[in-house]
């Protein structure tokens, strides 16, 4: 177990800057997920932590030691690859034990630890097989076993689940979570799947074009996204963005949204809760209102009376997408298509008007120019 | 593989006719390829009278291995009548180290150029690859000078060096193209597991390489064993490889020209490469499939 | 057994060194001999030299390079010289000796030559060949006559033919032979063989002065002259007299065609006689030797061994021993009996030589007196490798195509101009 | 697992071994690269320099400009050699590829005794022309070989005298060269055919394409890299052709079948014109480069994208 500190780390290939100064600090035992689309630099960062890529500028510290020039094998890390990278010429047991062999662990000790790891991952019956004789899930487990057996300071995962089918992916996700809970080892996990990130991480770092957009706990990332990019990347279906203007109506601060219904232009006023009086400076200016689909639903007067943050309005329904638990209801707000999550028993047929309410207490406001959270 | 006969509708009246045509084509070409070998082989088994009186393509009336023994033990090359035997062993002594060293260097270089990419690795590869295309006549004179400078002119080690150098572009090409298809993650995983450069090569890469090693060894063995130009230019007398001795033998006549001996000598000279092709030919094709020629 | 042979060799060496006087006692005379004498008679002749050398305590390192009249040898020699490790003795000749000497690659045998009195026993023409700047750099082995017709008397008899004395007679005879279904001319389609025929025709139709003007002085007027055109006309006729399979054939195979009566004549130097003799044929009976038609002319070719710069005492002693032996009367006799040529040194008894050789000796004498003696172009005595090559290119192209004589003459002039 | 945790500390840097570790790949490539730099590029530079001198018997080093090149291109044999290279090269490459490809497709039809046939097609690659040259000379020789054989079967007017016909002799070189190399081409194609995705073929079959169409339209286009590989392997064989000519025609009849490599050898070693030989070698090299460099360039560009 170890702490990990990444300080102003940069990476460039010639004139192309892949990482533009990353700062991340990780406590002992944390589970960090590096989340971002492909090409954002997350794998490069992981490789740099592993020592598989050189650092152009900045420092990486493991347990307060700068490791920039330390060879991977001396960093005491283990890594699970997307392709599993199992040695095709070695049996499962040899694969798992190879790292120990390289570290000159005695044969006896090695066998004991390999056995222990294999049992933990329920692959002990496969010890003599070659990787080519294994299924995808089994290979994944072997790859995990190879990392596990070393009992490293830090585990690194490079999209380890992306080659599995949907069901296995969920299963393995849980296993990784359990593993972390059991071992308590510091882990760094790269993925482009926000659900994996949300479920696994103790903290998520969202990367975009070589820069950290937000580095926070999953909940904070979800509820208080630092900018529109993060807001749009996390959550499914994604957050709705509605152009709006901050106005003061009847002494109440709120946002006004333009909309066109049956050829008539009108506007909706949604008041902001009292704790958002800080946006007073923005009166008369345009903002982007960010609403998560589950905070926008059919109107329930009972709830409105309980929660001051809930604001009601009517709107014509355009499309319905039932998902079972909820029905995604598409409406138009501020010239944008907006999704609401509605209880299936409260829906209206498309084309008809329905009453909605939105929890403005959970809404986000963004500066349309900088896209940053207000 | 395009095997459609198993699919429904694959059988048509044309099928058997096409099949017949196919075999006819294959056999005609087999004749074209095998003809020179038959001529050489049957001539080597005839005695001189039969050669003089019969036609080129007639088969020997009775099989007679005298010419083979004569070519191996007694035939005259210049003024020494030792047969091909000593020269054959010269070739062995030259070919084996040259093949091994050029293969090992090629494997290591191919491995470095693909799995430990450094700045300019591609350029270096291109520059090495260009060596495949150099006409060997170009290098004869400077090579002679260099061998003299290294004090290995007119020796087997000198020839070994020559063959290593001009075999390297091919071995590097083969291994590089093979290794490029082995996933980089394997190397990364092994690095994190604590294996160093040579350990990864020895424990991970080499065990994956047999197909390409077979291709490389067959290729190099054939090229080096069959070399004539370097052997003829850089060696004289007793140090010559068997191809050069064969040429001298064929062109050395004492009295009557013994075609059967010439042909037996040619077959003795060709025997090692022929055996290698016949025995390992299938691995050769398999190895090529494994990626040495892709791209 | 081994020790016995060694002792024998040592004793012989001792005896001969006393006899010869100067072989240093501590050095073991060693000579690596690079040669291209690999055909029947040649191989026998060189074996005689080897045995003689070994009998005199020398260690012979044989380095034969077969094929192409020395083509392959040229590459080996170049590479050996460049690597700073030349063989002690190399079979080269004519202008090549001068070129190697100029490049500083040859040793100096003058002192030995003085001791042995070579100036007195070598004919002046040969001295010119093996000396550079007045120093001996090579030793001649023999004198070959190039302008011979080797004929099968039985074939000639079938058409009542007489050996020709003019080229017209030659053509008439060939026509008769052809009509009788006998290939008139055995020939191998290799450039140097085409060149051999060509130079005999040049000498025959133009004479010695014309020959030298064309090949040594490279006089353009001579090269483009009508006489030269007639030479090419004759070559065109010759092309009609050879069989279909001549292309690429070795000269000794052509010789054996004459032996077997498949062909009536071959124009070739007297090394061809060696093949006849090696096959047990008797001159005058089984085969005839007649000079190609020319007015008492003689085309001389001479093999020689050039002695390259070597550093070790053994090699130097080997070179000295070899040179001494080569010019010794005994060796000159045995060697040339095998090879078909005549001795390079004067005063070798003629009894053992056959009628062809004796004729060669007499003709050499008279040609040299009448000024009709020329050095061979095709065998690099009169012309350098480059000039010879250029001439041969044109001759062989003309011979193997339907090029007209006018064009051939133009091309010849062009090629010679470009050659050096 | 926890219990196995023992003293772990990140070791201090060791400069030397660290330097070695960072540069080990370069160090391993260095000997190979060094050999190539010296023995290929160094020698090319040497030859290039000598081509600008008047070197004759032995190399000399005084600069004389383009004298040798001007002379070279005025010489008929050189022009014949280059023409021959063009004729021989294009025919040889074309026929070897077509034949090799055809045989590979034929062998890919689940034929019996495929192993034997493949070996028969492939073995000529194993043998040098120094060894089979005589056999080919016999076979192609009108008096001894095929012509004689066919005539002895009763077809008296049959004529096959290319070997001794200076117009046709170049084609005998093509016959023998194709004999030697097409089996290798076949092996390359066969290897590639075995790697073609069988689902593509099935898909095309479902679309109703005939076997010949499947090959022509679907499979062969996917083999483009193999065509390219063959093209370059055969090109370098064509330019390097030397043994073949020596063994089969000796450049004859006349010099009608001489190739640049033979010309170079003749000039350098027989005619003592090292300068001229070097100039011709440089021209050969230029020919090779004109073909190879675009290939290497595109090859490396593709690799970068991939």
């Amino acid at each position: 177990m170890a702490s990990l500190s990444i300080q102003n780390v940069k990476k460039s290939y010639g004139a192309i800057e892949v990482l533009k100064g990353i700062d991340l600090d990780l406590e002992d035992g944390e589970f960090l997920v590096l989340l971002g689309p492909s090409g954002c630099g997350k794998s490069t960062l992981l490789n740099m932590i592993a020592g598989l890529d050189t650092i152009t500028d900045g420092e990486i510290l493991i347990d307060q030691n700068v490791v920039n020039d330390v060879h991977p094998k001396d960093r005491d890390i283990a890594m699970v690859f997307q392709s599993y990278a199992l040695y095709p010429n070695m049996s499962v047991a040899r694969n798992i034990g190879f790292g120990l062999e390289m570290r000159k662990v005695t044969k006896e000790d090695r066998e004991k630890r390999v056995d222990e790891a294999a049992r933990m991952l329920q692959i002990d019956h496969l010890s003599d097989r070659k990787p080519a004789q294994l299924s995808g899930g089994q290979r994944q487990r072997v790859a995990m076993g190879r990392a596990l057996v070393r009992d490293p300071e830090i585990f690194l995962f490079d999209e380890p689940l992306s080659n599995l089918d949907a069901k296995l992916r969920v299963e393995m996700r849980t296993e990784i979570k359990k593993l972390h809970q059991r071992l308590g080892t510091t882990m760094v996990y790269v993925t482009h799947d926000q659900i994996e990130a949300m479920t696994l991480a103790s903290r998520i770092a969202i990367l975009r074009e070589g820069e950290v957009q937000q580095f926070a706990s999953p909940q904070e990332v979800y509820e208080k996204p630092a900018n529109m990019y993060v807001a749009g990347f996390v959550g499914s279906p994604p957050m709705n963005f509605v152009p709006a203007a901050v106005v003061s109506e009847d002494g109440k601060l709120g946002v006004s949204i333009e909309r066109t219904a049956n050829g008539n232009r009108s506007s909706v006023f949604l008041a902001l809760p009292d704790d958002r009086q800080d946006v007073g400076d923005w009166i008369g200016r345009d903002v982007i209102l960010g609403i998560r689909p589950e905070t926008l639903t059919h109107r329930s007067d009972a709830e409105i009376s309980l929660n001051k943050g809930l604001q009601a309005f009517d709107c014509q329904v355009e499309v319905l997408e039932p998902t079972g638990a909820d029905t995604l209801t598409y409406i138009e707000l501020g010239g944008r298509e907006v999704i609401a999550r509605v209880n299936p028993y409260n829906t209206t047929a498309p084309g008809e008007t329905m009453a909605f309410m939105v929890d403005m207490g959970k809404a986000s406001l963004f500066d349309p120019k900088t896209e940053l959270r207000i | 593989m395009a095997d459609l006969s198993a699919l429904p509708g694959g059988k048509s009246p044309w099928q058997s006719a096409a099949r017949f045509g196919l075999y006819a084509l294959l056999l005609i070409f087999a004749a074209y390829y095998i003809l020179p070998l038959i001529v050489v082989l049957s001539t080597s088994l005839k005695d001189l009278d039969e050669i003089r009186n019969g036609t080129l393509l007639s088969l020997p009336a009775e099989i007679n291995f005298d010419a083979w023994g004569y070519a191996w033990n007694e035939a005259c090359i210049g003024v020494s009548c030792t047969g091909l035997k000593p020269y054959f062993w010269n070739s062995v002594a030259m070919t084996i180290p040259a093949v091994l060293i050029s293969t090992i260097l090629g494997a290591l270089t191919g491995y470095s150029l693909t799995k430990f990419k450094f700045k300019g690795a591609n350029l270096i590869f291109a520059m090495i690859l260009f060596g495949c295309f150099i006409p060997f006549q170009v290098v004869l004179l400077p090579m002679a000078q260099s061998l003299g400078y290294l004090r290995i002119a007119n020796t087997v080690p000198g020839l070994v060096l020559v063959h290593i150098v001009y075999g390297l572009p091919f071995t590097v090409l083969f291994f590089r193209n093979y290794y490029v298809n082995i996933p980089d993650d394997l190397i990364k995983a092994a690095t994190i597991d604590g294996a160093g450069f040579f350990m990864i090569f020895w424990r991970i890469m080499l065990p994956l390489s047999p197909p390409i090693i077979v291709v490389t060894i067959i290729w190099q063995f054939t090229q080096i064993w069959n070399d004539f130009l370097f052997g003829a230019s850089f060696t004289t007398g007793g140090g010559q490889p068997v191809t050069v001795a064969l040429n001298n033998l064929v062109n050395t006549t004492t009295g009557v020209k013994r075609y059967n001996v010439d042909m037996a000598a040619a077959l003795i000279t060709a025997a090692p490469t022929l055996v290698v092709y016949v025995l390992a030919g299938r691995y050769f094709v398999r190895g090529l499939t494994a990626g040495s020629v892709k791209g | 057994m081994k020790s016995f042979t060694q002792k024998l060799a040592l004793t012989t060496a001792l005896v001969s060194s006393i006899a010869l006087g100067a072989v240093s006692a501590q050095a073991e005379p060693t000579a690596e001999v690079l040669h291209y004498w690999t055909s029947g008679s040649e191989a026998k002749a060189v074996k005689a030299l080897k045995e003689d050398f070994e009998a005199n305590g020398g260690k012979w390192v044989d380095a034969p390079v077969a094929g192409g009249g020395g083509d392959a040898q040229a590459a080996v020699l170049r590479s050996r010289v460049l690597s700073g490790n030349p063989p002690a003795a190399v079979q080269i000749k004519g202008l090549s000796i001068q070129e190697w000497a100029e490049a500083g690659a040859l040793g100096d045998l003058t002192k030995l030559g003085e001791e042995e009195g070579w100036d007195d026993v070598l004919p002046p023409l040969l001295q010119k060949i093996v000396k550079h700047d007045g120093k001996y750099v090579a030793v001649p082995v023999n004198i070959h006559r190039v302008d011979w017709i080797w004929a099968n008397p039985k074939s000639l008899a079938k058409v009542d033919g007489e050996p020709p004395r003019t080229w017209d007679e030659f053509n008439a005879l060939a026509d008769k032979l052809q009509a009788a279904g006998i290939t008139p001319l055995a020939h191998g389609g290799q450039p140097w063989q085409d060149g051999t025929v060509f130079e005999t025709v040049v000498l025959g139709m133009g004479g010695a002065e014309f020959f030298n003007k064309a090949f040594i002085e490279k006089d353009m007027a001579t090269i483009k002259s009508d006489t030269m055109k007639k030479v090419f006309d004759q070559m065109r006729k010759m092309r009609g007299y050879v069989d279909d399979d001549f292309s690429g054939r070795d000269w000794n195979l052509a010789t054996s065609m004459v032996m077997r009566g498949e062909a009536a004549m071959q124009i070739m130097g007297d090394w061809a006689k060696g093949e006849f003799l090696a096959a047990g044929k008797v001159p005058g009976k089984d085969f005839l030797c007649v000079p190609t038609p020319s007015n008492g002319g003689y085309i001389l070719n001479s093999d020689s061994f050039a002695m390259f710069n070597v550093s070790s005492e053994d090699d130097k002693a080997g070179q000295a021993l070899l040179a001494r032996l080569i010019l010794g009367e005994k060796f000159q006799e045995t060697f040339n009996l095998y090879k078909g040529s005549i001795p390079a040194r004067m005063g070798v008894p003629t009894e053992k030589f056959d009628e062809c050789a004796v004729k060669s000796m007499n003709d050499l004498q008279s040609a040299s007196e009448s000024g009709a003696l020329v050095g061979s172009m095709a065998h690099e005595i009169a012309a350098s490798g480059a000039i010879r090559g250029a001439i041969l290119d044109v001759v062989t192209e003309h011979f193997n195509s339907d090029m007209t004589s006018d064009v051939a003459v133009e091309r010849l002039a062009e090629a010679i101009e470009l050659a050096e | 697992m926890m219990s196995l945790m023992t003293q772990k500390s990140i070791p201090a840097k060791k400069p030397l071994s660290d330097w070695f570790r960072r540069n080990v790949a370069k160090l391993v490539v260095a000997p190979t690269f060094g050999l190539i730099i010296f023995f290929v590029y160094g020698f090319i530079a040497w030859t290039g320099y000598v081509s600008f001198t008047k070197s004759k018997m032995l190399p000399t080093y005084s600069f004389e400009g383009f004298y040798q090149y001007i002379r070279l291109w005025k010489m008929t044999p050189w022009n014949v050699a280059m023409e021959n290279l063009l004729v021989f090269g294009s025919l040889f490459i074309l026929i070897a590829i077509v034949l090799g490809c055809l045989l590979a497709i034929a062998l890919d039809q689940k034929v019996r005794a495929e192993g034997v046939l493949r070996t028969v097609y492939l073995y000529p690659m194993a043998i040098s022309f120094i060894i089979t040259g005589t056999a080919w000379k016999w076979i192609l020789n009108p008096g001894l070989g095929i012509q004689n054989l066919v005539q002895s079967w009763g077809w008296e007017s049959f004529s096959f005298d290319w070997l001794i016909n200076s117009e046709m002799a170049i084609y005998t070189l093509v016959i023998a060269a194709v004999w030697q190399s097409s089996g290798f081409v076949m092996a390359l194609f066969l290897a590639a055919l075995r790697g073609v995705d069988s689902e593509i073929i099935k898909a095309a079959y479902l679309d109703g394409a005939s076997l010949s169409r499947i090959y022509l339209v679907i499979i062969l286009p996917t083999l483009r890299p193999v065509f390219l590989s063959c093209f370059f392997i055969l090109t370098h064989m064509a330019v390097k052709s030397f043994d073949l000519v020596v063994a089969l025609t000796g450049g004859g009849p006349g010099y009608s079948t001489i190739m640049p490599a033979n010309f170079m050898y003749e000039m350098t070693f027989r005619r003592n014109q090292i300068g001229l030989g070097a100039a011709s070698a440089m021209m050969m090299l230029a020919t090779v480069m004109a073909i190879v460099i675009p290939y290497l360039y595109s090859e490396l560009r593709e690799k970068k994208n991939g």
Side-chain angles (χ1 to χ4, degrees), chain A residues 222-242:
Chain A
Y222 190 76
E223 289 178 351
K224 293 187 175 150
N227 54 33
M228 285 173 68
Y229 177 78
V230 174
F233 198 80
V234 177
S236 170
M239 182 182 270
N240 297 304
F241 295 119
V242 181

Side-chain angles (χ1 to χ4, degrees), chain C residues 68-72 74-76 78-79 81-82 96-97 99-100 103-105 189 191 194 239 243-248 380 385-390 392-394 396-397 400-401 403 411 414-415 417-420, chain D residues 46 56-59 61 67 70-77 80 137 141-144 147 161 163-167 169 248-256 258 263 265-274 276:
Chain C
D71 283 1
V76 180
R78 199 71 47 89
S79 102
V81 171
L82 281 175
S96 282
I97 298 175
E99 287 181 52
W100 277 115
D194 297 340
R239 171 65 180 83
D243 65 324
D244 279 346
D245 299 339
F246 76 104
S247 201
E380 287 177 85
I387 296 290
R388 164 194 182 262
L392 260 47
D393 279 347
V394 178
T396 191
E397 195 190 356
N400 285 289
S401 68
M403 189 191 282
R411 293 281 285 279
E414 231 171 76
E417 236 167 333
L418 276 175
E420 274 188 330
Chain D
W46 186 90
K56 286 186 174 173
M57 198 64 150
L58 290 171
Y61 299 101
Y67 166 77
I70 295 164
R71 199 149 75 98
L72 178 70
W73 283 102
K74 279 190 190 162
M75 294 180 101
T76 325
V80 170
K137 235 194 262 185
N141 186 310
L144 298 167
Q147 178 179 314
D161 64 347
L163 188 66
I164 57 157
N165 181 333
S166 52
E167 295 291 310
L248 198 58
T249 63
Y255 50 81
S256 60
I258 190 175
F263 178 91
Y265 193 82
E266 164 87 11
M267 285 302 153
T268 308
F269 296 111
R270 272 307 270 161
R271 302 199 189 170
N272 306 330
Q273 301 285 314
I274 288 184
L276 189 66

Side-chain angles (χ1 to χ4, degrees), chain B residues 2 8 10 19 23 26 29 32-33 37 56-57 109 127 129-130 132-134 137 146 166 226 259 273, chain D residues 32 39 41 43 99 109-110 112 121 123 126 138 149 175 179 182 205 215 236 240 242 264 288-289 296:
Chain B
R19 224 47 205 163
Y23 278 103
L26 287 171
F29 279 103
Y32 166 56
Y33 287 103
L37 190 65
L56 178 67
L57 290 169
T109 309
M127 286 179 74
L129 190 55
F130 185 72
C132 293
F133 295 95
I134 185 172
Q137 287 80 10
S146 309
Y166 297 109
N226 284 338
Y259 286 108
T273 49
Chain D
T32 303
F39 287 101
Y41 293 91
F43 286 5
L99 186 60
Q109 306 305 312
K110 293 238 153 135
R112 264 177 231 185
Y121 296 159
Y123 90 91
W138 281 10
L149 188 75
I175 293 177
W179 171 80
S182 51
Y205 190 68
Y215 271 106
H236 107 269
K240 282 183 178 175
F242 177 77
M264 188 266 165
V288 172
M289 278 164 77
L296 289 183

Side-chain angles (χ1 to χ4, degrees), chain B residues 1-4 7-10 19 22-23 25-27 29-30 32-37 39-40 43 55-57 105 108-109 112-113 116 118 122 124-143 145-146 150 161 164-166 168-170 172 176-177 197-198 219 222 226 228-229 233 243 246-247 259 263 266-267 269-270 273-274 277-278 281-282 284-285 288-289 293 295, chain D residues 20 24-26 28-29 32-33 35-41 43-44 46-47 61 99 102-103 106-112 117-128 130-131 134-136 138-139 144-145 149 175 178-179 182-184 187-188 190-191 193-194 196 201-202 205 211 214-215 219 225 229 232 236 239-240 242-243 261 264-265 268-269 274 281 284-285 288-289 292 295-296 299-300 303-304:
Chain B
M1 188 179 301
D3 180 35
L4 301 176
L7 298 174
R19 224 47 205 163
L22 177 72
Y23 278 103
L25 179 89
L26 287 171
L27 288 176
F29 279 103
Y32 166 56
Y33 287 103
I34 205 82
L35 187 65
L37 190 65
V39 168
V40 173
T43 309
T55 65
L56 178 67
L57 290 169
L105 276 179
L108 278 169
T109 309
S112 301
L113 288 177
F116 286 79
F118 45 87
N122 268 345
I124 286 183
F125 173 60
M127 286 179 74
I128 293 176
L129 190 55
F130 185 72
C132 293
F133 295 95
I134 185 172
F136 290 146
Q137 287 80 10
V138 174
V139 303
L140 287 186
L141 293 179
M143 185 52 112
Q145 246 166 342
S146 309
L150 295 170
L161 174 73
I164 289 173
V165 168
Y166 297 109
L168 273 176
F170 292 95
V172 171
R176 190 260 186 196
N177 281 1
F197 180 89
F198 291 103
W219 176 272
T222 315
N226 284 338
F228 178 74
L229 185 66
S233 305
T243 43
L246 170 72
N247 186 51
Y259 286 108
M263 293 300 155
L267 281 174
T269 307
T273 49
L274 268 181
Y277 262 68
V278 170
R282 72 165 72 202
F284 189 62
V285 176
L288 291 175
T289 325
V293 292
Chain D
F20 178 78
V24 61
K26 289 179 206 165
V28 165
V29 172
T32 303
F33 191 55
L35 286 174
I36 297 292
I37 286 290
F38 184 79
F39 287 101
V40 173
Y41 293 91
F43 286 5
I44 288 175
W46 186 90
T47 307
Y61 299 101
L99 186 60
L102 192 73
L103 289 175
L107 272 188
D108 200 30
Q109 306 305 312
K110 293 238 153 135
V111 297
R112 264 177 231 185
L117 285 172
R118 206 178 47 208
T119 309
V120 167
Y121 296 159
L122 198 54
Y123 90 91
M125 196 70 191
I127 311 181
S128 147
I130 295 301
I131 298 165
T134 317
W136 272 108
W138 281 10
I139 294 168
L144 298 167
L149 188 75
I175 293 177
V178 166
W179 171 80
S182 51
F184 183 63
L188 293 186
L190 194 59
L193 282 175
R194 297 277 147 92
V196 170
I201 299 167
K202 282 181 189 155
Y205 190 68
L211 191 61
I214 290 177
Y215 271 106
I219 300 181
S229 298
F232 287 99
H236 107 269
V239 178
K240 282 183 178 175
F242 177 77
D243 296 10
M264 188 266 165
Y265 193 82
T268 308
F269 296 111
I274 288 184
M284 285 167 69
L285 209 61
V288 172
M289 278 164 77
V292 171
Y295 169 65
L296 289 183
E299 175 93 331
L300 290 174
K303 289 282 143 63
K304 244 177 218 164

Side-chain angles (χ1 to χ4, degrees), chain C residues 109-417:
Chain C
L109 296 170
T110 313
K111 212 172 129 235
L112 185 71
E114 277 165 13
E115 283 167 26
E116 296 280 304
W118 289 347
D119 282 350
D120 304 325
V121 296
L122 287 180
L125 185 75
L126 288 188
Q127 284 190 32
K128 227 171 86 190
I129 293 172
V130 297
K131 274 182 171 177
H132 178 75
D133 273 350
K135 291 176 195 153
Y136 279 103
V137 290
V139 282
V141 180
N142 58 10
I143 293 172
H144 274 300
R145 182 177 195 173
V146 178
D147 53 333
W148 282 117
I149 294 175
W150 306 95
N152 187 322
K154 291 187 194 101
S155 303
L156 294 192
K158 278 184 193 156
V159 295
D160 293 327
E162 287 286 313
R165 278 165 312 225
T166 67
W167 285 104
D168 288 336
E169 280 182 35
F170 179 90
N171 294 342
L173 172 66
D175 289 338
K176 267 200 280 180
L177 285 162
Q178 211 157 30
I182 301 167
T183 303
L185 195 61
H187 183 65
Q190 291 170 332
W192 72 269
Q193 297 191 50
D194 297 340
T196 302
V197 173
F198 176 72
E199 70 175 351
T200 63
V201 180
V202 170
L203 181 69
M205 301 192 126
E209 200 183 329
F210 179 84
F211 187 100
N212 286 334
K213 256 193 161 166
F215 297 146
I216 298 176
E217 291 168 34
K218 294 157 234 166
D219 175 53
M220 284 301 147
T222 313
I223 290 166
K224 292 185 188 175
S225 65
D226 287 345
T227 314
M228 194 60 90
K229 285 178 194 164
K230 277 189 204 140
V231 170
F232 278 107
D233 288 343
Q234 177 62 28
M235 288 302 285
R236 176 62 64 237
K237 284 198 178 118
M238 306 288 261
R239 171 65 180 83
Y241 298 146
V242 302
D243 65 324
D244 279 346
D245 299 339
F246 76 104
S247 201
R249 177 189 287 147
D250 284 323
W251 66 269
N252 50 340
L253 299 182
T255 307
S256 64
M257 286 172 68
V258 177
M259 264 185 241
R260 292 199 300 271
E262 284 165 32
M265 298 181 279
Q266 179 185 20
I267 295 178
M268 186 49 63
D270 45 22
W271 46 93
K273 187 182 69 187
E275 292 292 299
F276 283 107
L277 298 179
K281 307 286 181 190
V282 181
K285 182 169 147 271
D286 299 318
F287 66 96
L288 304 176
C289 49
V290 248
T292 57
S294 70
N295 226 340
Y298 190 106
I299 302 178
L300 173 140
N301 178 21
S302 169
D303 292 310
S304 44
F305 277 103
M307 300 301 172
F308 277 72
N309 274 324
V310 286
S311 45
S312 87
E313 285 305 312
D314 287 355
D315 286 344
K316 281 185 182 156
Q319 282 183 336
L321 176 59
L322 194 66
R324 215 188 304 264
L325 286 175
I326 286 173
L327 279 178
E329 272 187 41
K330 175 171 162 280
F331 172 75
Q332 286 282 329
E333 187 184 272
T334 35
F335 180 88
N336 286 305
L337 281 173
Y338 280 131
K339 184 82 163 70
S341 44
I342 59 173
R345 70 174 283 163
M346 297 179 287
V348 176
T350 57
E351 298 89 56
K352 288 188 186 162
F353 286 89
D354 57 55
E355 55 178 88
C356 299
V358 173
K359 182 166 174 53
S360 175
M361 291 176 201
N362 296 339
D363 285 359
L364 177 63
Q365 193 62 35
S366 61
S368 137
E369 279 158 15
S370 70
L373 172 64
V374 294
S376 166
M377 176 279 296
H379 300 276
E380 287 177 85
I381 301 295
S384 69
I387 296 290
R388 164 194 182 262
I391 297 171
L392 260 47
D393 279 347
V394 178
V395 169
T396 191
E397 195 190 356
H398 170 265
F399 197 75
N400 285 289
S401 68
D402 47 13
M403 189 191 282
T404 65
S405 302
D406 287 340
V407 176
V409 167
E410 286 301 317
R411 293 281 285 279
L412 188 63
E414 231 171 76
I416 290 178
E417 236 167 333

